[in-house]
Amino acid sequence: MEFLRPASWQEALAAKAEHPSAVPIAGGTDVMVEINFDQRRPGWLMDLNRVPELHEWETGEDSVRLGASVPYSRIMENLRAELPGLALAAHTVGSPQIRNRGSVGGNLGAASPAGDSHPPLLTAGAEVEAESVRGSRRIPVEEFFTGVKRNALAEDELIKYVHIKKATGPQQFSKIGTRNAMVIAVCGFSVALHPESRRVRAAVASAAPTPFRATEAEDFLSAALDEEGLWDSDRIVPPSVARRFAELCSAACKPIDDVRGSAAYRRHAVGVMARRTLTWVWESYRNGGRGGARNDEGGTRCA
Amino acid sequence: MADATRLPTTITQVSQGTAAKGGIGESTLRPDGTLKVTGEFAYASDLWHEDMLWGCTLRSPYAHAEIRSVDVSEALRIPGVRSVMTHDDLPAATHYGLEIQDQPVLAKDRVRYHGEAVAIVAADHPETARRAAAKIRVDYAELPPVYDEESATREGAPLLHPGRDDHHSGHVAHPNILHRQPIVRGDVAAAKAEADVVVRNDYEVGMQDQAFLGPESGLAVPAEDGGVDLYIATQWLHVDRDQLAPVLGLPAEKVRLTLSGVGGAFGAREDLSMQAHACLLAMATGRPVKIVYNRYESFFGHVHRHPAKLTYEHGATRDGKLLYAKCRIVLDGGAYASSSPAVVGNAASLGIGPYEVDNVEVEALALYTNNPPCGAMRGFGAVQACFAYEAQMDALAEALDMDPVELRQRNAMSQGSVLPTGQEVDAPAPVAEILRRVKERPMPPQRQWESSPSEGAGTGVDVRALPGGLSNTTHGEGVVRGVGYAVGIKNVGFSEGFDDYSTARVRVEVVGGEAVALVHTAMAEVGQGGVTVHAQIARTELGVSRVTIHPADTQVGSAGSTSASRQTYMTGGAVKKACESVREKVLRLGREKFAGGHPAWTEGAELRFEDGKIVTAGGEAVAALADVLEDEAVEDEVVFRHRPTEPFDLETGQGFGHVQYSFAAHRAVVEVDVELGLVKVVELACAQDVGKALNPLATVGQIQGGTTQGLGLAVMEEILVDPDGKVRNPSFTDYLIPTILDTPAIPVDVLELADEHAPYGLRGVGEAPTLSSTPAVVAAIRNATGLALRRVPVRPEHLTGTGTGADA
């Protein structure tokens, strides 16, 4: 195995063009596990830790430009107001040590159906900026996941940034694990309110070959909230609406039975998470979380 | 050994301060504690020799297959490969085993479980060894697997070990039944006719793994005398040696073992793993060979806890007096015997629990199957039974509309009770009392996840205190509290007539003007705290402050296994006995030296050893220990035995089978998210009788550790095996053990009721809390959900009715 250590982004792109099978590595929380378990033996490993822009983020008018290697712990500490859904998801990743090393870029590169960062990216609205020596392009995150552990990157491309829309309303993230910390998702769920466009977005992880948006559920709920005039009222979401939303989220799943859980449980649990997280975001919205700047964790304290 | 590093060294411990003497009963601190927490401790996986090669094992991808051919030629051609060995290259004995030598060192003609070792490679780099192993071509022809009682015993079932001639083969009904132990007492049929209430249920226990953190590892160094020195993480050096010597074709004295740093054991290091492979490769190459498993291989490298299917029937009078109990316990022993026969003996003899029942019919057996081999794990057969009989107690209490603790107390055994084996419990057995203590504890507050309302922000929620934890699945929705109780009985020490002994060598001498003690045993320190306790015993018995613990090795007699909760009793007992002998020798020396001096020397008065001095019963110093010794070292090596036991009768199960019993009780308080099927154990209170806590802090640590391991079995820990015998989750990604967020507050109530048969009255501590923890947690989940829950671990699917097939 050859080890490449580009000192700059341009060098990294050149190296990737020269060695398209090179596996990029930053925190190593996923790649190293696969190598240690002998599941993967890449001919080249490319260390991106010397590329400074990958470790930086910039908060713009409407979105956050997140460097691919920014670790989860930075997101939790610094971007809770702008990216509350992603910050909550970051909390659920691995252990503190893993959160200090793992990053959204790595999560996207691995493209696991169970990736914790994927649902909040889908509900917030995000684009993946991929670059190669041929040029740069932005891939909407909805189009990024193409199959189990497969993504839309060309073989000479690297992920540079993720552009994530700043929250304009409350966001939530919830995931099922069979222990209370340090666990891979049996299934995960995120919901985000977008009051400015009067839309609700919902996304699911680990209940289909790729993370996905439950668009039918989104459309139903967005329409129901509009029809009932709820965005401008102080009323709760009618239980029948919440229930239908949950059913639609659940029905959108195409889960499998595996060692972590049954398909039936995943479908069931997505429904429960959908109902609960909708209640939390709506409660937060009614309590003034309309600007999105407020901490939208519903008073939740995390470690 | 030249050019080697990270080898075990002596550990010197000095008692701190003036008030504390560092003797027994004090919570002296572990000498290895800080090293382990800071990452400095040298584990077996850290062993290093400048000239060493790396060994690697090729394992079977099938649970049951014929090996048609093995071709190692391509592997041998890889540069850097020094040796490749298969069954045909073995120099001497080809099989080994703790009780029955049925396990091949390397498989011949046939593999019997997924992960069985087929070939071994030594190379100058671990990566080279691994690549070479992958180049070994094995032609397998898959065979139909045997995976449960029905498939193992039906007409025409493939036999795991055709032509068995072991000492159990004569009394079992089928060659795929490894051992069967019935226990019959009283008249169950007559008692059943009298019963007002009968409760009968089936139970199932999944396959738990010991999940120690330090994987199997060791370094074998060929010696000039043709022998081998093995540095190894194990539980019993001498039994490793006794299995290795025939395989290596060496006399036992040429196989020298030294204990290296052990990262946990819990039974998983009782059987050989890489020991023979490393020694064989070292002898074949003439070079030191290190083998260290990774986490994946570790799951195939050691035995697991037996999964079990159990059927229990209890009959009682209307006022809750147990009239009879019947049970059948089927343990899956997997492909090789390991310690399954002894596990069967425990499951049978402890199968009814700590209750007085006059009429009993028990049948326990272990199967040979193509599932992973199972053997020793903390609790050793008593865990599976305890889950079932405690579930039965709750079911019976419900049928009787009686408080479950009261039902247990009404039937609790006490000193003088007679077990179903006919053995009288001749030491304190405070079963009712430990139940009373856990029950009387104040309850943790309701809705403990809510922080007090503050800053007008409403009530805050701490998700860490809720089911789901940081995964943020509930802020209180769907959460129901439950409370459950359980109690268990575990034997201490090796049973059924086994000649169980331990050896200790103790020396006192003057170093730098101070009398100091050296303790040398072969006890495997696997985390239980023996190194601390041995120093404490030496201080108490010899009145010294400074005690050095010699590395454990085979240069001294056997210490027996670090298992069966026995080491403090046994090797602690041997150290005590050796100290007593040394004391006598010192006094003899003193009488010779000071014959004309202090009258106490000649009067035959009782003399004690305190603070480096020899003092009269009244406390008057008659000499400094250093002055008695001068430049002489006084030493003795002694053997300590517990009282003898006897085998259980093969038909009736009667017999004085066990040395000692220990008892623990738990109360579990859980919060269950009944919609998502997630569980948070809030508190797991324990009361346990330990006879005498030699080190109270370590005692509580053992109880908390055992309790947590039991919690793991209750709600998450299981090795999943496909019907074709393949292990599905050999990783810490998918074999889950409790994190600190899964571990509740564990308040511990330690009772010290002396057992007069044991050194200092002590009782083995380590296993009993692992028994009752599991059923207490499950009882609490039942209490919260109203579900029957006859299987552990309890999964979210079981709580939400969303299982698949057999799970549903």
PDB file of all heavy atoms in Angstrom, chain B residues 371-390:
ATOM      1  N   ASN B 371     -22.142 -25.552  15.813  1.00  0.00           N
ATOM      2  CA  ASN B 371     -22.103 -24.151  16.228  1.00  0.00           C
ATOM      3  C   ASN B 371     -20.767 -23.863  16.907  1.00  0.00           C
ATOM      4  O   ASN B 371     -20.008 -24.777  17.219  1.00  0.00           O
ATOM      5  CB  ASN B 371     -23.281 -23.861  17.161  1.00  0.00           C
ATOM      6  CG  ASN B 371     -24.591 -23.834  16.388  1.00  0.00           C
ATOM      7  OD1 ASN B 371     -24.621 -23.403  15.232  1.00  0.00           O
ATOM      8  ND2 ASN B 371     -25.645 -24.314  17.009  1.00  0.00           N
ATOM      9  N   PRO B 372     -20.454 -22.592  17.147  1.00  0.00           N
ATOM     10  CA  PRO B 372     -19.172 -22.276  17.787  1.00  0.00           C
ATOM     11  C   PRO B 372     -19.040 -22.999  19.133  1.00  0.00           C
ATOM     12  O   PRO B 372     -20.019 -23.110  19.878  1.00  0.00           O
ATOM     13  CB  PRO B 372     -19.242 -20.756  17.989  1.00  0.00           C
ATOM     14  CG  PRO B 372     -20.202 -20.287  16.947  1.00  0.00           C
ATOM     15  CD  PRO B 372     -21.206 -21.389  16.793  1.00  0.00           C
ATOM     16  N   PRO B 373     -17.847 -23.502  19.443  1.00  0.00           N
ATOM     17  CA  PRO B 373     -17.663 -24.181  20.722  1.00  0.00           C
ATOM     18  C   PRO B 373     -17.958 -23.235  21.887  1.00  0.00           C
ATOM     19  O   PRO B 373     -17.612 -22.060  21.844  1.00  0.00           O
ATOM     20  CB  PRO B 373     -16.175 -24.565  20.719  1.00  0.00           C
ATOM     21  CG  PRO B 373     -15.763 -24.506  19.300  1.00  0.00           C
ATOM     22  CD  PRO B 373     -16.621 -23.484  18.641  1.00  0.00           C
ATOM     23  N   CYS B 374     -18.622 -23.792  22.901  1.00  0.00           N
ATOM     24  CA  CYS B 374     -18.935 -22.997  24.082  1.00  0.00           C
ATOM     25  C   CYS B 374     -18.304 -23.652  25.295  1.00  0.00           C
ATOM     26  O   CYS B 374     -18.109 -24.861  25.335  1.00  0.00           O
ATOM     27  CB  CYS B 374     -20.440 -22.853  24.251  1.00  0.00           C
ATOM     28  SG  CYS B 374     -21.127 -21.761  22.985  1.00  0.00           S
ATOM     29  N   GLY B 375     -17.972 -22.824  26.261  1.00  0.00           N
ATOM     30  CA  GLY B 375     -17.290 -23.332  27.442  1.00  0.00           C
ATOM     31  C   GLY B 375     -17.480 -22.408  28.615  1.00  0.00           C
ATOM     32  O   GLY B 375     -18.613 -22.077  28.976  1.00  0.00           O
ATOM     33  N   ALA B 376     -16.365 -21.983  29.176  1.00  0.00           N
ATOM     34  CA  ALA B 376     -16.433 -21.219  30.421  1.00  0.00           C
ATOM     35  C   ALA B 376     -16.789 -19.765  30.156  1.00  0.00           C
ATOM     36  O   ALA B 376     -16.243 -19.136  29.272  1.00  0.00           O
ATOM     37  CB  ALA B 376     -15.091 -21.287  31.129  1.00  0.00           C
ATOM     38  N   MET B 377     -17.714 -19.274  30.898  1.00  0.00           N
ATOM     39  CA  MET B 377     -17.889 -17.834  31.025  1.00  0.00           C
ATOM     40  C   MET B 377     -18.500 -17.555  32.382  1.00  0.00           C
ATOM     41  O   MET B 377     -19.389 -18.283  32.836  1.00  0.00           O
ATOM     42  CB  MET B 377     -18.777 -17.256  29.920  1.00  0.00           C
ATOM     43  CG  MET B 377     -18.898 -15.733  30.055  1.00  0.00           C
ATOM     44  SD  MET B 377     -19.817 -14.920  28.744  1.00  0.00           S
ATOM     45  CE  MET B 377     -19.886 -13.253  29.464  1.00  0.00           C
ATOM     46  N   ARG B 378     -17.980 -16.500  33.009  1.00  0.00           N
ATOM     47  CA  ARG B 378     -18.465 -15.997  34.296  1.00  0.00           C
ATOM     48  C   ARG B 378     -19.906 -16.417  34.595  1.00  0.00           C
ATOM     49  O   ARG B 378     -20.831 -15.989  33.915  1.00  0.00           O
ATOM     50  CB  ARG B 378     -18.360 -14.472  34.253  1.00  0.00           C
ATOM     51  CG  ARG B 378     -18.472 -13.792  35.573  1.00  0.00           C
ATOM     52  CD  ARG B 378     -18.306 -12.302  35.364  1.00  0.00           C
ATOM     53  NE  ARG B 378     -17.928 -11.619  36.595  1.00  0.00           N
ATOM     54  CZ  ARG B 378     -17.496 -10.363  36.641  1.00  0.00           C
ATOM     55  NH1 ARG B 378     -17.369  -9.655  35.552  1.00  0.00           N
ATOM     56  NH2 ARG B 378     -17.168  -9.809  37.791  1.00  0.00           N
ATOM     57  N   GLY B 379     -20.058 -17.268  35.594  1.00  0.00           N
ATOM     58  CA  GLY B 379     -21.386 -17.773  35.951  1.00  0.00           C
ATOM     59  C   GLY B 379     -21.583 -19.237  35.577  1.00  0.00           C
ATOM     60  O   GLY B 379     -22.346 -19.946  36.222  1.00  0.00           O
ATOM     61  N   PHE B 380     -20.905 -19.686  34.527  1.00  0.00           N
ATOM     62  CA  PHE B 380     -20.614 -21.091  34.228  1.00  0.00           C
ATOM     63  C   PHE B 380     -21.792 -22.033  34.442  1.00  0.00           C
ATOM     64  O   PHE B 380     -21.796 -22.836  35.371  1.00  0.00           O
ATOM     65  CB  PHE B 380     -19.440 -21.507  35.132  1.00  0.00           C
ATOM     66  CG  PHE B 380     -18.621 -22.667  34.632  1.00  0.00           C
ATOM     67  CD1 PHE B 380     -17.645 -22.481  33.667  1.00  0.00           C
ATOM     68  CD2 PHE B 380     -18.784 -23.942  35.157  1.00  0.00           C
ATOM     69  CE1 PHE B 380     -16.861 -23.552  33.226  1.00  0.00           C
ATOM     70  CE2 PHE B 380     -18.010 -25.012  34.724  1.00  0.00           C
ATOM     71  CZ  PHE B 380     -17.041 -24.812  33.762  1.00  0.00           C
ATOM     72  N   GLY B 381     -22.812 -21.924  33.599  1.00  0.00           N
ATOM     73  CA  GLY B 381     -23.956 -22.846  33.697  1.00  0.00           C
ATOM     74  C   GLY B 381     -25.022 -22.400  34.670  1.00  0.00           C
ATOM     75  O   GLY B 381     -26.188 -22.772  34.528  1.00  0.00           O
ATOM     76  N   ALA B 382     -24.621 -21.616  35.667  1.00  0.00           N
ATOM     77  CA  ALA B 382     -25.598 -21.139  36.654  1.00  0.00           C
ATOM     78  C   ALA B 382     -26.366 -19.933  36.130  1.00  0.00           C
ATOM     79  O   ALA B 382     -27.470 -19.643  36.587  1.00  0.00           O
ATOM     80  CB  ALA B 382     -24.889 -20.778  37.957  1.00  0.00           C
ATOM     81  N   VAL B 383     -25.784 -19.236  35.147  1.00  0.00           N
ATOM     82  CA  VAL B 383     -26.419 -18.034  34.593  1.00  0.00           C
ATOM     83  C   VAL B 383     -27.698 -18.394  33.843  1.00  0.00           C
ATOM     84  O   VAL B 383     -28.749 -17.780  34.043  1.00  0.00           O
ATOM     85  CB  VAL B 383     -25.422 -17.303  33.663  1.00  0.00           C
ATOM     86  CG1 VAL B 383     -26.133 -16.330  32.738  1.00  0.00           C
ATOM     87  CG2 VAL B 383     -24.360 -16.594  34.483  1.00  0.00           C
ATOM     88  N   GLN B 384     -27.598 -19.404  32.977  1.00  0.00           N
ATOM     89  CA  GLN B 384     -28.744 -19.775  32.154  1.00  0.00           C
ATOM     90  C   GLN B 384     -29.900 -20.226  33.050  1.00  0.00           C
ATOM     91  O   GLN B 384     -31.055 -19.841  32.857  1.00  0.00           O
ATOM     92  CB  GLN B 384     -28.351 -20.900  31.186  1.00  0.00           C
ATOM     93  CG  GLN B 384     -27.303 -20.498  30.132  1.00  0.00           C
ATOM     94  CD  GLN B 384     -25.863 -20.740  30.583  1.00  0.00           C
ATOM     95  OE1 GLN B 384     -25.563 -20.732  31.784  1.00  0.00           O
ATOM     96  NE2 GLN B 384     -24.965 -20.938  29.625  1.00  0.00           N
ATOM     97  N   ALA B 385     -29.557 -21.067  34.042  1.00  0.00           N
ATOM     98  CA  ALA B 385     -30.587 -21.578  34.938  1.00  0.00           C
ATOM     99  C   ALA B 385     -31.233 -20.453  35.730  1.00  0.00           C
ATOM    100  O   ALA B 385     -32.455 -20.412  35.901  1.00  0.00           O
ATOM    101  CB  ALA B 385     -29.983 -22.620  35.880  1.00  0.00           C
ATOM    102  N   CYS B 386     -30.423 -19.517  36.190  1.00  0.00           N
ATOM    103  CA  CYS B 386     -30.943 -18.434  37.039  1.00  0.00           C
ATOM    104  C   CYS B 386     -31.952 -17.582  36.269  1.00  0.00           C
ATOM    105  O   CYS B 386     -32.971 -17.169  36.815  1.00  0.00           O
ATOM    106  CB  CYS B 386     -29.792 -17.582  37.561  1.00  0.00           C
ATOM    107  SG  CYS B 386     -30.289 -16.329  38.764  1.00  0.00           S
ATOM    108  N   PHE B 387     -31.655 -17.332  34.989  1.00  0.00           N
ATOM    109  CA  PHE B 387     -32.623 -16.562  34.196  1.00  0.00           C
ATOM    110  C   PHE B 387     -33.976 -17.264  34.199  1.00  0.00           C
ATOM    111  O   PHE B 387     -35.021 -16.635  34.377  1.00  0.00           O
ATOM    112  CB  PHE B 387     -32.119 -16.383  32.761  1.00  0.00           C
ATOM    113  CG  PHE B 387     -33.173 -15.866  31.830  1.00  0.00           C
ATOM    114  CD1 PHE B 387     -33.709 -14.600  32.024  1.00  0.00           C
ATOM    115  CD2 PHE B 387     -33.662 -16.652  30.791  1.00  0.00           C
ATOM    116  CE1 PHE B 387     -34.719 -14.122  31.190  1.00  0.00           C
ATOM    117  CE2 PHE B 387     -34.667 -16.174  29.956  1.00  0.00           C
ATOM    118  CZ  PHE B 387     -35.195 -14.912  30.151  1.00  0.00           C
ATOM    119  N   ALA B 388     -33.954 -18.588  34.045  1.00  0.00           N
ATOM    120  CA  ALA B 388     -35.218 -19.324  33.937  1.00  0.00           C
ATOM    121  C   ALA B 388     -35.918 -19.471  35.284  1.00  0.00           C
ATOM    122  O   ALA B 388     -37.114 -19.201  35.402  1.00  0.00           O
ATOM    123  CB  ALA B 388     -34.955 -20.698  33.315  1.00  0.00           C
ATOM    124  N   TYR B 389     -35.173 -19.898  36.336  1.00  0.00           N
ATOM    125  CA  TYR B 389     -35.899 -20.132  37.593  1.00  0.00           C
ATOM    126  C   TYR B 389     -36.384 -18.833  38.214  1.00  0.00           C
ATOM    127  O   TYR B 389     -37.414 -18.814  38.892  1.00  0.00           O
ATOM    128  CB  TYR B 389     -35.125 -21.023  38.576  1.00  0.00           C
ATOM    129  CG  TYR B 389     -33.787 -20.559  39.116  1.00  0.00           C
ATOM    130  CD1 TYR B 389     -33.694 -19.475  39.991  1.00  0.00           C
ATOM    131  CD2 TYR B 389     -32.622 -21.265  38.820  1.00  0.00           C
ATOM    132  CE1 TYR B 389     -32.463 -19.087  40.515  1.00  0.00           C
ATOM    133  CE2 TYR B 389     -31.391 -20.891  39.332  1.00  0.00           C
ATOM    134  CZ  TYR B 389     -31.309 -19.795  40.189  1.00  0.00           C
ATOM    135  OH  TYR B 389     -30.104 -19.421  40.712  1.00  0.00           O
ATOM    136  N   GLU B 390     -35.684 -17.729  37.947  1.00  0.00           N
ATOM    137  CA  GLU B 390     -36.178 -16.466  38.489  1.00  0.00           C
ATOM    138  C   GLU B 390     -37.389 -15.954  37.716  1.00  0.00           C
ATOM    139  O   GLU B 390     -38.300 -15.365  38.283  1.00  0.00           O
ATOM    140  CB  GLU B 390     -35.053 -15.430  38.528  1.00  0.00           C
ATOM    141  CG  GLU B 390     -34.049 -15.692  39.645  1.00  0.00           C
ATOM    142  CD  GLU B 390     -34.725 -15.727  41.017  1.00  0.00           C
ATOM    143  OE1 GLU B 390     -35.150 -16.834  41.435  1.00  0.00           O
ATOM    144  OE2 GLU B 390     -34.839 -14.662  41.655  1.00  0.00           O
TER     145      GLU B 390
END
